[in-house]
Amino acid sequence: MFTRIFGKPKQETNALATLDKLNETLEMLEKKEKVLLKKAATEVERAKEFTRAKNKRAAIQCLKRKRLYEQQIEQLGNFQLRIHDQMIMLEGAKATTETVDALRTGAAAMKAMQKATNIDDVDKTMDEINEQTENMKQIQEALSTPIGAAADFDEDELEAELEELEGTELEEQLLQPATTAPAAPVRVPAGRQPAKKVEDDDDELAELQREMAL
């Protein structure tokens, strides 16, 4: 049990340490590759100088050294590919191990929960729930049953009365006269006064004459 408990962290630590080591090696190879590329470029420049100086033998020696550098560069590239491949495999194995461990933990937890749960207890609980549900249904039906004077009402008679009221309301709506539109106001042509206005003016003039006669 203790081996299983403490085994995973140790394995994970080893995997991480290995990945770190591979990363360090990869960085070292990349640095060496850069140095060799620089040396190869330098030999090319020196070969050009010897060629301009008509020193063919020295120029050829520079090209030979350049070829050696290029071979080492190619070898370092192969080393890097192998390390990358190893890192990918290690990371994949680490992910697989973690996945299997997670599945194993889940299965153990499920098994423990199943042991803690008795099928007889589940059946008993469901029976109790069904019984309580049925009791509550009966209580609700009892509370919704009319009592007293309301229990003597005939539902059919009430529905017939409601239909009669609806028919009467519809009949009243059909017999109600249509609302007439308000009459348009009479327009008086400009320059003319209504007859009532003329009569009022005559009355005022007669009243004024009587007051002046006094």
Side-chain angles (χ1 to χ4, degrees), residues 81-110:
L81 287 176
R82 291 182 179 231
I83 291 178
H84 278 296
D85 183 60
Q86 188 71 25
M87 291 175 64
I88 292 173
M89 292 179 61
L90 184 59
E91 290 174 350
K94 182 175 177 294
T96 302
T97 302
E98 292 177 350
T99 302
V100 173
D101 185 72
L103 293 174
R104 186 183 295 110
T105 302
M110 182 69 69

Side-chain angles (χ1 to χ4, degrees), residues 174-209:
L174 294 175
L175 295 177
Q176 184 177 0
T179 304
T180 58
V186 178
R187 301 187 58 178
V188 179
R192 296 182 60 186
Q193 298 293 334
K196 177 118 175 74
K197 179 65 173 174
V198 176
E199 292 177 359
D200 293 341
D201 292 342
D202 293 340
D203 293 341
E204 292 179 359
L205 180 60
E207 182 66 24
L208 181 60
Q209 289 174 355

Side-chain angles (χ1 to χ4, degrees), residues 109-129:
M110 182 69 69
K111 186 176 181 180
M113 287 188 292
Q114 289 178 353
K115 287 183 178 180
T117 305
N118 191 346
I119 186 62
D120 295 333
D121 294 337
V122 175
D123 292 338
K124 183 179 179 181
T125 302
M126 293 304 299
D127 292 339
E128 292 177 354
I129 293 174

Side-chain angles (χ1 to χ4, degrees), residues 108-163:
M110 182 69 69
K111 186 176 181 180
M113 287 188 292
Q114 289 178 353
K115 287 183 178 180
T117 305
N118 191 346
I119 186 62
D120 295 333
D121 294 337
V122 175
D123 292 338
K124 183 179 179 181
T125 302
M126 293 304 299
D127 292 339
E128 292 177 354
I129 293 174
N130 293 331
E131 183 179 357
Q132 293 174 3
T133 303
E134 186 64 26
N135 292 338
M136 182 59 65
K137 183 179 179 181
Q138 294 177 3
I139 292 173
Q140 292 175 350
E141 290 178 355
L143 292 175
S144 62
T145 302
I147 60 175
D152 298 331
F153 294 152
D154 190 344
E155 294 291 338
D156 295 336
E157 292 180 359
L158 294 174
E159 291 183 2
E161 183 178 354
L162 179 60
E163 292 178 358

Side-chain angles (χ1 to χ4, degrees), residues 33 72-82:
E33 183 179 11
Q72 292 181 12
I73 292 171
E74 183 178 0
Q75 188 178 18
L76 291 177
N78 292 331
F79 290 165
Q80 293 178 46
L81 287 176
R82 291 182 179 231

Side-chain angles (χ1 to χ4, degrees), residues 17 61 76 118 171 173 195 204 214:
Q61 293 297 325
L76 291 177
N118 191 346
E171 184 178 356
Q173 293 178 1
E204 292 179 359
L214 293 177

